[in-house]
Amino acid sequence: MNIRYDLILGSKRTSNYLWMLMTFIGGSGFFLAGLSSYLGFQLLPFADTKEIVFIPQGIVMTFYGTTGLLLSTFLGATIYLNVGGGYNLYDKKNKKIEIFRLGFPGRKKEICLSYSMKEIKSVKLSISEGINPKREIYLRTKDQREVPITRVGEPILLSQIEEEAVELASFLEVPLEVYKKNGHKINL
């Protein structure tokens, strides 16, 4: 097998869909409650907003509702554009590595990095445990650059990330370096 292709999941994750839906429902409820207090009649069939005075409660609810709707719109745009999605392509035949990611529209909508396999010094696995665990795989080049190649967002199981790093180092025929939170290096 001369080619390895790793698909990277971007923003199209179940958790992002759920957050978008929850912020849309909550934002709509707050916005309609605030608007109901301003207009003086019910826009929400399941809630009684007659007791809400527009200043200060109604205006604050309208502000929170607008913020929630804008946040859900932003999440919807990132999901639609699949920000962070892409692939890692390792081609032994052409001795080339290509890392591709999608971004937001603009100058850097697409990020494509290309390296020769001769430039790769090792595969680095960085592990930090605790409240906010980070488990990341990097390609280390001979000029000491570290190129992140793992997906961003959902944490990966320790056994799964270790297995991915070992398989990649074996495929590229380079050493694997493991760094723990305290900065200690373990060569494998």
Side-chain angles (χ1 to χ4, degrees):
M1 182 189 299
N2 289 328
I3 294 178
R4 177 181 166 144
Y5 182 86
D6 296 336
L7 185 64
I8 304 298
L9 183 66
S11 298
K12 293 186 176 185
R13 294 189 308 259
T14 306
S15 61
N16 284 349
Y17 283 105
L18 291 174
W19 279 112
M20 182 186 70
L21 182 64
M22 287 189 303
T23 55
F24 178 76
I25 291 170
S28 298
F30 272 93
F31 183 77
L32 291 175
L35 196 58
S36 293
S37 71
Y38 177 73
L39 298 174
F41 63 88
Q42 283 295 115
L43 293 174
L44 287 171
F46 54 84
D48 184 18
T49 57
K50 294 175 190 165
E51 305 275 329
I52 299 174
V53 181
F54 183 67
I55 298 196
Q57 294 115 337
I59 202 163
V60 170
M61 292 182 89
T62 305
F63 171 75
Y64 284 151
T66 303
T67 303
L69 290 173
L70 289 173
L71 180 60
S72 70
T73 302
F74 172 75
L75 284 170
T78 59
I79 291 169
Y80 176 75
L81 296 170
N82 196 23
V83 174
Y87 62 86
N88 300 333
L89 177 68
Y90 311 95
D91 186 354
K92 279 186 170 180
K93 182 179 178 186
N94 296 319
K95 299 195 183 307
K96 186 177 175 185
I97 297 172
E98 187 175 302
I99 298 165
F100 178 82
R101 299 290 185 277
L102 292 170
F104 283 105
R107 273 186 0 178
K108 305 268 183 177
K109 181 178 178 0
E110 296 176 346
I111 299 167
C112 188
L113 304 173
S114 185
Y115 297 95
S116 167
M117 285 194 174
K118 294 175 186 175
E119 292 179 65
I120 304 303
K121 175 184 173 184
S122 65
V123 172
K124 176 184 173 184
L125 175 59
S126 178
I127 301 169
S128 88
E129 299 296 335
I131 295 173
N132 187 20
K134 290 185 179 181
R135 298 166 182 158
E136 300 164 322
I137 300 174
Y138 298 91
L139 289 179
R140 292 192 69 195
T141 61
K142 291 181 180 173
D143 61 354
Q144 301 304 317
R145 287 180 288 164
E146 294 181 354
V147 183
I149 58 171
T150 48
R151 65 181 180 262
V152 177
E154 296 177 3
I156 304 168
L157 293 172
L158 185 57
S159 60
Q160 184 181 357
I161 194 101
E162 287 173 342
E163 184 178 322
E164 281 183 35
V166 168
E167 287 176 3
L168 182 59
S170 174
F171 182 81
L172 296 175
E173 298 172 359
V174 295
L176 173 63
E177 300 175 356
V178 180
Y179 287 83
K180 297 286 183 178
K181 180 180 180 178
N182 55 11
H184 289 34
K185 177 181 171 185
I186 305 166
N187 283 325
L188 300 177

